Every structure is written in structure tokens, then in C-alpha cells.
Amino acid sequence: MFFLVLCVILTLSNIQNTHKLIEDIEKNRRQELNPNISVDCVIFGFDFDKLNVLVIDRADGSRLPCALPGDLIFNHEHLDHAAIRVLEELTGLKNIYLEQIGAFGDPNRISKESDQSWLQKVREQPQARVVTIGYYSLVKMENYLPQASSFAKSAAWIPVNKITELAFDHMEILDAAKQRLKQMINIRPIGFNLLPEKFTLSQLHRLYEAILDKPLDKRNFRRKIQKLELVKNLKEKQFGVPHKPSQLFMFDGKTYEKLMQTGINNFGF
Amino acid sequence: MFFLVLCVILTLSNIQNTHKLIEDIEKNRRQELNPNISVDCVIFGFDFDKLNVLVIDRADGSRLPCALPGDLIFNHEHLDHAAIRVLEELTGLKNIYLEQIGAFGDPNRISKESDQSWLQKVREQPQARVVTIGYYSLVKMENYLPQASSFAKSAAWIPVNKITELAFDHMEILDAAKQRLKQMINIRPIGFNLLPEKFTLSQLHRLYEAILDKPLDKRNFRRKIQKLELVKNLKEKQFGVPHKPSQLFMFDGKTYEKLMQTGINNFGF
DNA sequence: CCAAAAGTGTTGAAGTTACACCCATGC
DNA sequence: GCATGGGTGTAACTTCAACACTTTTGG
């Protein structure tokens, strides 16, 4: 009898201990969050027609504007790793190479009312000054169906041009990312990451038009791209399209590497 | 008699109060410093021969490597303003337009031994994680004789190419700044800020060579620059040089503004 | 046979690179 | 008169922008 009681007590206390332990771990984890530094990610995808950006919907009764996936960093964590981790936690996107855009440090960036009331719920120090580091990346949309978790109620692709409002100063970060992308497309062979392995030159063409947000002459575009020797013709044809089927192309890894390093630009002195 | 004593007491207490007040202000000021976010400035100057960078010598008995001017930001302060303030506090350089390079966030960036022992002396939380935001700027060296203050024992121009060691991860920040400068010189009319009002094309030529770190053909350089209509010929001559005197030029403000916005680059599609 | 996108060449203008000699000044 | 840096032109080549019609497929 005594033994039984002991067992029950031990078991109960064990359960309590376990609970406490979990709480502690959770608390430690939260305590290690640095209240002043966050990362935000602008993830671009291309649907063969227009550019899209990955945004999350923050769970809340009241209607909140969408946000870029982002959160505080841990104290021990490298910024770049924090961005990768946060992106995965909020959207399920794994192992994405992210490039830094810069720091966004307006002391009021956090002080919109709707944002403040949300911060009260999820942050330990909702009033703390936060400087955020922006990142951007380009991913193949086909490889990824948004999958929300953590405080993201849902994650979804939204056409860049339809976004008019975002949380905090995320519009500013998005604009900076768009601008950076425009710059980069002229300097580095970026399209790589936004298209499937096999693609047509028309798709690449539309991609460039979407990024640069202006029409490009078809013939000149093709000539120019092909002279870079960045793409190689697979001599395969599209199937099942209701028009003349296109040739398929692949990026050429070697030229890609080379151009990544030397850059494409040909103005300079 | 009573009155006299009262006066003395009041005066003494006043002095004490004032002391306390000053201490409080100083303490508040320090408390408002955010322990996790700093700024660092890479200031380039040109001496008509090579690029120089402004570095400070941190006062200390032991030999410390030089550092970029930089410090923690205040909680209420915009990042860009923090950079301007810190630069002035440490070097006396006022009202400089600084452009952000990006954030540097390696968690170990602070952990060199010599840096740690220095931090112990000047920081309230010497172990705190610090992410720093890098800035760069270009200034006319002639307008500025380095004038150290705060924890800077001295401030001095050092030729970029002679710098082999800096505090923290400042070498990394410097490298990023150099790289950014190389990019920018091809995109924006930057030389402006590094030369005196009146300058010769040869000086501009040497400046471009110094920044790009490679020789440029004299005639092609002149043609190209003059076609931009960025400089206008003052039809004045140099005096007192032991060779054929050069024509003097000025930057043309209007073209400058225009090129600043549209950029110079002519590769893109 | 029709709709829809693929694919292809030329031309005139502008820009790029490479290269060598004479000029004006102070000493 | 000599050392020093200032200043200039051309030719061969590459790149750029603008522009319209034929081809192949599915339905």
C-alpha cells in the first residue's frame, strides 16, 4: 500500500517536474532571445508571370496586416543563421540561402498601434527598441507550399504589386529588397533560383521583365543572354502546349560560378 | 550667524545636489545606451595619391590595435543619427553624410582577448552580444584635421593599403566598405566628396585608380568623364607647379544630382 | 484554319580599347 | 635644357536599340 502511494506520488511529482522542466526550457529559450535585434526575410518567388513575396498572417482576433517572416534573434546566434532559422520556423522553408539587405533602425518602426498590441502578446519586452536586419532570397515556388507555424497563422505567396500594407516598417524592407533585386539582376546571374531546372527563354524573359518592371525587347534579350553562355540548350521540346513548343534550357553551372564572382557589369572603367 | 550657517549648508547641499544631478544625467545617458547595437564608421579620405581611412587609437596602457570610430547607440536614436553622433564624438568630424553598408553579426566578433579586456573598462555590459551596423563616407581630407575625444586617444588618417589589423571585426567592415566603394564609383558620381572644389582631371584620374585599385588609360578616362558632363572646365590654370599647369575643373551640381538619381550604369537591359 | 507563342537578322549609332607624341612650366 | 606631368586623335572592334515576319503546335 505504502509502495503504491509512493509510486503515485513519484509519478505525480515526475509529471510536475517534467512540466516545470518544459517550462524552464521554454523560458530559457525565451530568455536567450535578444530583445533588441531581429531579422526579417523577403522571399521572392516567380509564377511564370509575376513576382510574388512570402508573407505571414499573424494569428489574432483583430485584423492585422500581413508581415514578412521575421523574429528576434538568439544571443548566441549568427545573424545569417538566425534569418535561416526564423524563416523555417515561420514558414517551413528550409535551408534557404539568404542575402543581407541591411539594417532598419528607425526607433519608431515598431510603434504602430496594431503592431504594439500584437507585440504585447508575443514579446517579453514589447516596448524594447528593435533594430531589424533585412534579408532576401529567391526560391522556386514549385518546390514550396507555404506551411505556417509558430506565431504565423498562415503563410502565403502574394504578388509583389498587390501588396499595399505590411506590419511595422516591412513595406520599407520590401522596397529595399525589390530595389536590391533590380540591381543584382544586372550584376549577377540570379534567375537561376527562381526557375525550375528546365525552363524556356521566354520564361526567363518574363522573369527579367517582372523584376525590372519594364518590357524588354525579345530578340535583344535572347541574344544578350545567350552570349553570356549562362544557359545551355537541352535540345528538348516542350510538350502539350497549344502553340509552337519551345526549346528547353538549363543554367550552366560553370559559367554561373564564374559570373557570380566576376560580375556581369560592363560599364566600369 | 544662523543665516551664515544656513547659507553654508545650503551651498554645500547644492553642490552635492549638482554632483548627484550630473551623476544621474551621466547614468541615465549610459542607461539609455543599448548594450546590443552599435555603429561603426569607415571614413575615406584622398590625399591626391592614395585612399586613407580614419581610425582611432583607444586609450590604454597595453598596445591595442586601432579601431574604426564606433560605439553603442542610444535607445531612442535613429541608426543613421547614431552613426553621425558617434563619429563626431570620437573624431570631431561633423555633419557627415554616412551611407549604410550593412549589419555585422558574428556572435564572436567581440571576443578577441585584447578587445574583451578593453570592453571591460568602457562598457557596462562588456559581455553583451553586439551587432554592429557599418557605415561609410567620403570626405575632403583638407577640411579635417583629426581631433580625438571620448575614449579615442587619438584619431588619424592611415593609408588603406597599410592597414593590416584592426579591433573586433573591423577589418571585415573595412573590406566591405572598400568593396562597396568600388561598386558605387561605377554607379554614382562619388568623386565629388573626396576632392577639393577645384581639381584637375589628373587628380580625379588618380582617385579612380586608387579606388578601383588598377591603372586606367588616361585618354579614355578623360573622354569618358567629360562625356558625362559631370565636370565643367573653369578655364583656370594651376599655379606654381614645375610642369605644364593643368586646367581646373569643378563638379556640375545639376548633372551630379541627375546622375545620383538615375545612376551611371549602362549595362542593364 | 485559327489562335498563340516561338523563333530569327540587319542596320545605324554609340561605346570600348589600345596606343605615342608634343606642350608648358619651374628649376 | 631638362625633368615633369598635361594634354590630345584615330582606327578596329564590340555593343546597343529598334524593328516585322515566318514557324509550329493544339484545338
Side-chain angles (χ1 to χ4, degrees), chain A residues 72-242:
Chain A
L72 299 178
I73 73 167
F74 287 122
N75 268 321
H76 62 271
E77 185 176 42
H78 195 289
L79 276 179
D80 299 355
H81 297 159
I84 291 169
R85 171 183 61 80
V86 166
L87 181 61
E88 178 172 354
E89 284 181 7
L90 290 170
T91 71
L93 257 188
K94 281 182 200 177
N95 251 326
I96 299 298
Y97 173 73
L98 291 151
E99 186 135 343
Q100 195 195 111
I101 300 166
F104 296 80
D106 187 332
N108 299 318
R109 56 179 292 277
I110 254 184
S111 57
K112 272 191 244 167
E113 248 182 69
S114 61
D115 291 327
Q116 261 300 320
S117 67
W118 180 74
L119 286 175
Q120 300 287 345
K121 290 175 197 161
V122 300
R123 292 270 166 91
E124 293 217 329
Q125 302 177 41
Q127 308 282 353
R129 166 71 181 276
V130 182
V131 167
T132 199
I133 317 298
Y135 282 82
Y136 82 101
S137 190
L138 312 170
V139 307
K140 307 189 206 305
M141 275 177 82
E142 50 168 15
N143 288 356
Y144 170 65
L145 286 182
Q147 222 173 349
S149 60
S150 182
F151 59 73
K153 194 170 68 183
S154 66
W157 290 108
I158 311 240
V160 173
N161 297 325
K162 298 224 169 128
I163 299 179
T164 56
E165 195 196 359
L166 287 175
F168 306 112
D169 58 349
H170 288 184
M171 279 306 281
E172 202 185 319
I173 299 175
L174 174 60
D175 286 340
K178 278 158 61 179
Q179 210 184 317
R180 183 68 69 101
L181 186 53
K182 273 192 202 182
Q183 276 176 29
M184 282 301 165
I185 198 82
N186 278 328
I187 294 177
R188 298 219 211 129
I190 284 183
F192 216 135
N193 309 294
L194 283 164
L195 290 172
E197 206 178 1
K198 298 177 181 185
F199 53 87
T200 71
L201 289 187
S202 298
Q203 288 166 348
L204 191 60
H205 180 204
R206 258 173 276 143
L207 171 58
Y208 271 68
E209 289 187 325
I211 291 179
L212 295 172
D213 198 23
K214 70 180 183 193
L216 301 172
D217 182 85
K218 185 166 53 160
R219 280 174 286 192
N220 293 339
F221 176 82
R222 287 168 167 254
R223 220 196 330 275
K224 203 158 178 174
I225 283 291
Q226 299 201 61
K227 193 154 44 210
L228 289 180
E229 295 187 321
L230 179 60
V231 294
K232 60 182 181 216
N233 192 331
L234 292 173
K235 312 266 164 138
E236 290 178 47
K237 285 183 184 179
Q238 275 182 315
F239 280 112
V241 287

Side-chain angles (χ1 to χ4, degrees), chain B residues 38-91:
Chain B
S38 68
V39 289
D40 284 298
C41 305
V42 181
I43 309 299
F44 291 106
F46 180 59
D47 59 11
F48 300 117
D49 175 35
K50 53 203 170 335
L51 272 187
N52 292 266
V53 171
L54 191 55
V55 297
I56 62 173
D57 197 357
R58 295 165 290 170
D60 191 296
S62 53
R63 289 274 213 149
L64 285 176
C66 289
L68 297 174
D71 201 357
L72 299 178
I73 73 167
F74 287 122
N75 268 321
H76 62 272
E77 185 177 41
H78 195 289
L79 276 179
D80 299 356
H81 297 159
I84 291 170
R85 171 183 61 79
V86 166
L87 181 61
E88 178 172 354
E89 284 180 6
L90 289 170
T91 71

